[in-house]
mmCIF file of all heavy atoms in Angstrom:
data_model
loop_
_atom_site.group_PDB
_atom_site.id
_atom_site.type_symbol
_atom_site.label_atom_id
_atom_site.label_comp_id
_atom_site.label_asym_id
_atom_site.label_seq_id
_atom_site.Cartn_x
_atom_site.Cartn_y
_atom_site.Cartn_z
ATOM 1 N N GLY A 1 16.501 -53.035 31.538
ATOM 2 C CA GLY A 1 17.170 -51.753 31.668
ATOM 3 C C GLY A 1 18.405 -51.976 32.537
ATOM 4 O O GLY A 1 18.408 -52.873 33.383
ATOM 5 N N VAL A 2 19.453 -51.208 32.299
ATOM 6 C CA VAL A 2 20.741 -51.456 32.976
ATOM 7 C C VAL A 2 21.195 -50.203 33.720
ATOM 8 O O VAL A 2 21.054 -49.088 33.243
ATOM 9 C CB VAL A 2 21.804 -51.882 31.918
ATOM 10 C CG1 VAL A 2 23.167 -52.021 32.576
ATOM 11 C CG2 VAL A 2 21.397 -53.150 31.230
ATOM 12 N N VAL A 3 21.764 -50.448 34.897
ATOM 13 C CA VAL A 3 22.454 -49.428 35.662
ATOM 14 C C VAL A 3 23.887 -49.906 35.860
ATOM 15 O O VAL A 3 24.102 -51.116 35.955
ATOM 16 C CB VAL A 3 21.710 -49.147 37.011
ATOM 17 C CG1 VAL A 3 21.765 -50.347 37.925
ATOM 18 C CG2 VAL A 3 22.292 -47.926 37.712
ATOM 19 N N SER A 4 24.815 -49.001 35.934
ATOM 20 C CA SER A 4 26.216 -49.386 36.116
ATOM 21 C C SER A 4 26.677 -49.031 37.531
ATOM 22 O O SER A 4 26.459 -47.895 37.990
ATOM 23 C CB SER A 4 27.074 -48.640 35.104
ATOM 24 O OG SER A 4 28.422 -49.044 35.213
ATOM 25 N N ARG A 5 27.279 -49.990 38.199
ATOM 26 C CA ARG A 5 27.845 -49.808 39.547
ATOM 27 C C ARG A 5 29.137 -50.616 39.615
ATOM 28 O O ARG A 5 29.162 -51.776 39.237
ATOM 29 C CB ARG A 5 26.922 -50.316 40.651
ATOM 30 C CG ARG A 5 25.600 -49.631 40.799
ATOM 31 C CD ARG A 5 25.669 -48.443 41.748
ATOM 32 N NE ARG A 5 24.380 -47.935 42.142
ATOM 33 C CZ ARG A 5 23.523 -47.287 41.355
ATOM 34 N NH1 ARG A 5 23.801 -47.131 40.117
ATOM 35 N NH2 ARG A 5 22.395 -46.838 41.835
ATOM 36 N N ASP A 6 30.208 -50.004 40.095
ATOM 37 C CA ASP A 6 31.502 -50.670 40.233
ATOM 38 C C ASP A 6 31.957 -51.328 38.950
ATOM 39 O O ASP A 6 32.576 -52.403 38.938
ATOM 40 C CB ASP A 6 31.437 -51.767 41.360
ATOM 41 C CG ASP A 6 31.044 -51.196 42.693
ATOM 42 O OD1 ASP A 6 31.544 -50.100 43.042
ATOM 43 O OD2 ASP A 6 30.228 -51.817 43.389
ATOM 44 N N GLY A 7 31.609 -50.747 37.829
ATOM 45 C CA GLY A 7 31.993 -51.306 36.526
ATOM 46 C C GLY A 7 31.170 -52.510 36.131
ATOM 47 O O GLY A 7 31.507 -53.227 35.193
ATOM 48 N N LEU A 8 30.077 -52.770 36.823
ATOM 49 C CA LEU A 8 29.189 -53.920 36.519
ATOM 50 C C LEU A 8 27.930 -53.451 35.825
ATOM 51 O O LEU A 8 27.407 -52.365 36.134
ATOM 52 C CB LEU A 8 28.799 -54.610 37.826
ATOM 53 C CG LEU A 8 29.901 -55.177 38.675
ATOM 54 C CD1 LEU A 8 29.372 -55.640 40.018
ATOM 55 C CD2 LEU A 8 30.602 -56.323 37.971
ATOM 56 N N ARG A 9 27.420 -54.271 34.925
ATOM 57 C CA ARG A 9 26.129 -54.028 34.329
ATOM 58 C C ARG A 9 25.069 -54.752 35.157
ATOM 59 O O ARG A 9 25.087 -55.984 35.230
ATOM 60 C CB ARG A 9 26.106 -54.518 32.858
ATOM 61 C CG ARG A 9 27.040 -53.705 31.958
ATOM 62 C CD ARG A 9 27.034 -54.209 30.519
ATOM 63 N NE ARG A 9 27.327 -55.627 30.361
ATOM 64 C CZ ARG A 9 28.545 -56.178 30.380
ATOM 65 N NH1 ARG A 9 29.602 -55.407 30.571
ATOM 66 N NH2 ARG A 9 28.737 -57.468 30.224
ATOM 67 N N LEU A 10 24.183 -53.978 35.798
ATOM 68 C CA LEU A 10 23.169 -54.541 36.704
ATOM 69 C C LEU A 10 21.783 -54.269 36.167
ATOM 70 O O LEU A 10 21.502 -53.175 35.662
ATOM 71 C CB LEU A 10 23.311 -53.921 38.091
ATOM 72 C CG LEU A 10 24.672 -53.965 38.739
ATOM 73 C CD1 LEU A 10 24.688 -53.120 40.019
ATOM 74 C CD2 LEU A 10 25.106 -55.374 39.031
ATOM 75 N N ALA A 11 20.869 -55.238 36.300
ATOM 76 C CA ALA A 11 19.486 -55.030 35.928
ATOM 77 C C ALA A 11 18.876 -54.015 36.867
ATOM 78 O O ALA A 11 19.199 -53.953 38.053
ATOM 79 C CB ALA A 11 18.722 -56.345 36.009
ATOM 80 N N LEU A 12 17.955 -53.203 36.322
ATOM 81 C CA LEU A 12 17.223 -52.263 37.173
ATOM 82 C C LEU A 12 16.509 -53.019 38.294
ATOM 83 O O LEU A 12 16.139 -54.185 38.131
ATOM 84 C CB LEU A 12 16.242 -51.457 36.344
ATOM 85 C CG LEU A 12 16.896 -50.476 35.368
ATOM 86 C CD1 LEU A 12 15.824 -49.817 34.496
ATOM 87 C CD2 LEU A 12 17.719 -49.431 36.088
ATOM 88 N N PRO A 13 16.292 -52.376 39.445
ATOM 89 C CA PRO A 13 15.747 -53.078 40.597
ATOM 90 C C PRO A 13 14.453 -53.841 40.419
ATOM 91 O O PRO A 13 14.322 -54.982 40.884
ATOM 92 C CB PRO A 13 15.577 -51.948 41.636
ATOM 93 C CG PRO A 13 16.587 -50.946 41.257
ATOM 94 C CD PRO A 13 16.635 -50.986 39.746
ATOM 95 N N ALA A 14 13.457 -53.290 39.723
ATOM 96 C CA ALA A 14 12.193 -54.016 39.577
ATOM 97 C C ALA A 14 12.405 -55.344 38.795
ATOM 98 O O ALA A 14 11.888 -56.376 39.199
ATOM 99 C CB ALA A 14 11.144 -53.163 38.860
ATOM 100 N N ARG A 15 13.193 -55.286 37.749
ATOM 101 C CA ARG A 15 13.459 -56.516 36.997
ATOM 102 C C ARG A 15 14.270 -57.519 37.807
ATOM 103 O O ARG A 15 13.979 -58.703 37.825
ATOM 104 C CB ARG A 15 14.209 -56.164 35.673
ATOM 105 C CG ARG A 15 14.689 -57.321 34.857
ATOM 106 C CD ARG A 15 13.529 -58.090 34.198
ATOM 107 N NE ARG A 15 13.953 -59.247 33.415
ATOM 108 C CZ ARG A 15 14.212 -59.210 32.114
ATOM 109 N NH1 ARG A 15 14.079 -58.097 31.433
ATOM 110 N NH2 ARG A 15 14.582 -60.303 31.514
ATOM 111 N N ALA A 16 15.318 -57.024 38.485
ATOM 112 C CA ALA A 16 16.166 -57.907 39.304
ATOM 113 C C ALA A 16 15.340 -58.573 40.413
ATOM 114 O O ALA A 16 15.490 -59.770 40.671
ATOM 115 C CB ALA A 16 17.317 -57.118 39.908
ATOM 116 N N ALA A 17 14.427 -57.807 41.037
ATOM 117 C CA ALA A 17 13.597 -58.389 42.115
ATOM 118 C C ALA A 17 12.675 -59.456 41.545
ATOM 119 O O ALA A 17 12.515 -60.539 42.137
ATOM 120 C CB ALA A 17 12.800 -57.254 42.784
ATOM 121 N N LEU A 18 12.046 -59.211 40.413
ATOM 122 C CA LEU A 18 11.153 -60.213 39.831
ATOM 123 C C LEU A 18 11.922 -61.429 39.340
ATOM 124 O O LEU A 18 11.451 -62.560 39.495
ATOM 125 C CB LEU A 18 10.322 -59.598 38.733
ATOM 126 C CG LEU A 18 9.282 -58.568 39.166
ATOM 127 C CD1 LEU A 18 8.468 -58.088 38.009
ATOM 128 C CD2 LEU A 18 8.408 -59.100 40.280
ATOM 129 N N ASP A 19 13.104 -61.214 38.770
ATOM 130 C CA ASP A 19 13.928 -62.343 38.339
ATOM 131 C C ASP A 19 14.272 -63.230 39.532
ATOM 132 O O ASP A 19 14.272 -64.455 39.437
ATOM 133 C CB ASP A 19 15.215 -61.881 37.677
ATOM 134 C CG ASP A 19 14.997 -61.320 36.267
ATOM 135 O OD1 ASP A 19 13.952 -61.626 35.667
ATOM 136 O OD2 ASP A 19 15.870 -60.561 35.795
ATOM 137 N N MET A 20 14.555 -62.618 40.650
ATOM 138 C CA MET A 20 14.871 -63.375 41.870
ATOM 139 C C MET A 20 13.650 -64.032 42.472
ATOM 140 O O MET A 20 13.647 -65.223 42.785
ATOM 141 C CB MET A 20 15.557 -62.452 42.869
ATOM 142 C CG MET A 20 16.000 -63.144 44.136
ATOM 143 S SD MET A 20 16.778 -61.923 45.245
ATOM 144 C CE MET A 20 17.178 -62.982 46.601
ATOM 145 N N ALA A 21 12.579 -63.267 42.596
ATOM 146 C CA ALA A 21 11.369 -63.744 43.275
ATOM 147 C C ALA A 21 10.675 -64.882 42.503
ATOM 148 O O ALA A 21 10.179 -65.814 43.117
ATOM 149 C CB ALA A 21 10.397 -62.583 43.470
ATOM 150 N N ARG A 22 10.675 -64.831 41.187
ATOM 151 C CA ARG A 22 9.939 -65.866 40.454
ATOM 152 C C ARG A 22 10.649 -67.228 40.480
ATOM 153 O O ARG A 22 10.072 -68.220 40.101
ATOM 154 C CB ARG A 22 9.634 -65.420 39.054
ATOM 155 C CG ARG A 22 10.772 -65.289 38.124
ATOM 156 C CD ARG A 22 10.315 -64.730 36.758
ATOM 157 N NE ARG A 22 11.443 -64.356 35.988
ATOM 158 C CZ ARG A 22 12.226 -65.222 35.361
ATOM 159 N NH1 ARG A 22 11.966 -66.519 35.416
ATOM 160 N NH2 ARG A 22 13.264 -64.801 34.682
ATOM 161 N N ARG A 23 11.851 -67.278 40.961
ATOM 162 C CA ARG A 23 12.564 -68.554 41.106
ATOM 163 C C ARG A 23 12.348 -69.145 42.483
ATOM 164 O O ARG A 23 12.760 -70.265 42.759
ATOM 165 C CB ARG A 23 14.049 -68.359 40.856
ATOM 166 C CG ARG A 23 14.300 -68.005 39.392
ATOM 167 C CD ARG A 23 15.767 -68.071 39.060
ATOM 168 N NE ARG A 23 15.944 -68.096 37.633
ATOM 169 C CZ ARG A 23 15.804 -69.198 36.875
ATOM 170 N NH1 ARG A 23 15.548 -70.352 37.432
ATOM 171 N NH2 ARG A 23 15.982 -69.158 35.570
ATOM 172 N N GLU A 24 11.709 -68.399 43.378
ATOM 173 C CA GLU A 24 11.457 -68.853 44.737
ATOM 174 C C GLU A 24 10.210 -69.729 44.808
ATOM 175 O O GLU A 24 9.214 -69.448 44.119
ATOM 176 C CB GLU A 24 11.249 -67.685 45.689
ATOM 177 C CG GLU A 24 12.523 -67.038 46.175
ATOM 178 C CD GLU A 24 13.327 -67.944 47.072
ATOM 179 O OE1 GLU A 24 12.772 -68.852 47.702
ATOM 180 O OE2 GLU A 24 14.531 -67.712 47.143
ATOM 181 N N THR A 25 10.252 -70.744 45.643
ATOM 182 C CA THR A 25 9.081 -71.602 45.855
ATOM 183 C C THR A 25 8.466 -71.344 47.229
ATOM 184 O O THR A 25 7.370 -71.806 47.478
ATOM 185 C CB THR A 25 9.451 -73.081 45.754
ATOM 186 O OG1 THR A 25 10.496 -73.392 46.669
ATOM 187 C CG2 THR A 25 9.910 -73.415 44.328
ATOM 188 N N ASN A 26 9.157 -70.591 48.078
ATOM 189 C CA ASN A 26 8.671 -70.271 49.409
ATOM 190 C C ASN A 26 7.946 -68.916 49.357
ATOM 191 O O ASN A 26 8.573 -67.903 49.116
ATOM 192 C CB ASN A 26 9.857 -70.236 50.374
ATOM 193 C CG ASN A 26 9.456 -69.920 51.785
ATOM 194 O OD1 ASN A 26 8.387 -69.354 52.047
ATOM 195 N ND2 ASN A 26 10.321 -70.243 52.721
ATOM 196 N N PRO A 27 6.652 -68.879 49.616
ATOM 197 C CA PRO A 27 5.915 -67.613 49.580
ATOM 198 C C PRO A 27 6.498 -66.550 50.498
ATOM 199 O O PRO A 27 6.541 -65.356 50.138
ATOM 200 C CB PRO A 27 4.496 -67.979 50.008
ATOM 201 C CG PRO A 27 4.383 -69.440 49.748
ATOM 202 C CD PRO A 27 5.750 -70.018 49.951
ATOM 203 N N ARG A 28 6.983 -66.944 51.660
ATOM 204 C CA ARG A 28 7.555 -65.993 52.609
ATOM 205 C C ARG A 28 8.831 -65.331 52.004
ATOM 206 O O ARG A 28 9.039 -64.122 52.150
ATOM 207 C CB ARG A 28 7.917 -66.675 53.917
ATOM 208 C CG ARG A 28 8.392 -65.674 54.985
ATOM 209 C CD ARG A 28 8.527 -66.339 56.327
ATOM 210 N NE ARG A 28 7.182 -66.692 56.794
ATOM 211 C CZ ARG A 28 6.926 -67.743 57.549
ATOM 212 N NH1 ARG A 28 7.879 -68.526 57.954
ATOM 213 N NH2 ARG A 28 5.683 -67.987 57.945
ATOM 214 N N ALA A 29 9.646 -66.114 51.310
ATOM 215 C CA ALA A 29 10.856 -65.578 50.687
ATOM 216 C C ALA A 29 10.489 -64.570 49.565
ATOM 217 O O ALA A 29 11.164 -63.542 49.435
ATOM 218 C CB ALA A 29 11.722 -66.685 50.101
ATOM 219 N N VAL A 30 9.432 -64.844 48.825
ATOM 220 C CA VAL A 30 8.995 -63.918 47.774
ATOM 221 C C VAL A 30 8.574 -62.579 48.409
ATOM 222 O O VAL A 30 8.983 -61.517 47.962
ATOM 223 C CB VAL A 30 7.836 -64.525 46.959
ATOM 224 C CG1 VAL A 30 7.270 -63.508 45.997
ATOM 225 C CG2 VAL A 30 8.292 -65.769 46.215
ATOM 226 N N VAL A 31 7.825 -62.643 49.477
ATOM 227 C CA VAL A 31 7.417 -61.433 50.205
ATOM 228 C C VAL A 31 8.640 -60.670 50.693
ATOM 229 O O VAL A 31 8.714 -59.444 50.553
ATOM 230 C CB VAL A 31 6.465 -61.791 51.382
ATOM 231 C CG1 VAL A 31 6.288 -60.599 52.323
ATOM 232 C CG2 VAL A 31 5.136 -62.291 50.857
ATOM 233 N N GLU A 32 9.614 -61.351 51.255
ATOM 234 C CA GLU A 32 10.840 -60.712 51.758
ATOM 235 C C GLU A 32 11.600 -59.997 50.655
ATOM 236 O O GLU A 32 12.127 -58.897 50.866
ATOM 237 C CB GLU A 32 11.706 -61.722 52.485
ATOM 238 C CG GLU A 32 11.123 -62.184 53.801
ATOM 239 C CD GLU A 32 11.870 -63.356 54.427
ATOM 240 O OE1 GLU A 32 12.885 -63.813 53.838
ATOM 241 O OE2 GLU A 32 11.413 -63.817 55.502
#
């Protein structure tokens, strides 16, 4: 799902958070 900010197409927060978190190998970073 997409939201627009400053003329940018951005993933909705839940998807963006999971996309970022699943690339982390540090459990503490995932929690943060």
Side-chain angles (χ1 to χ4, degrees):
V2 175
V3 65
S4 182
R5 297 269 193 291
D6 301 318
L8 300 171
R9 292 180 306 279
L10 306 172
L12 291 176
R15 173 70 182 266
L18 292 184
D19 286 340
M20 182 179 180
R22 69 184 169 75
R23 293 190 163 279
E24 278 293 336
T25 56
N26 180 340
R28 185 171 293 148
V30 173
V31 167
E32 289 171 1

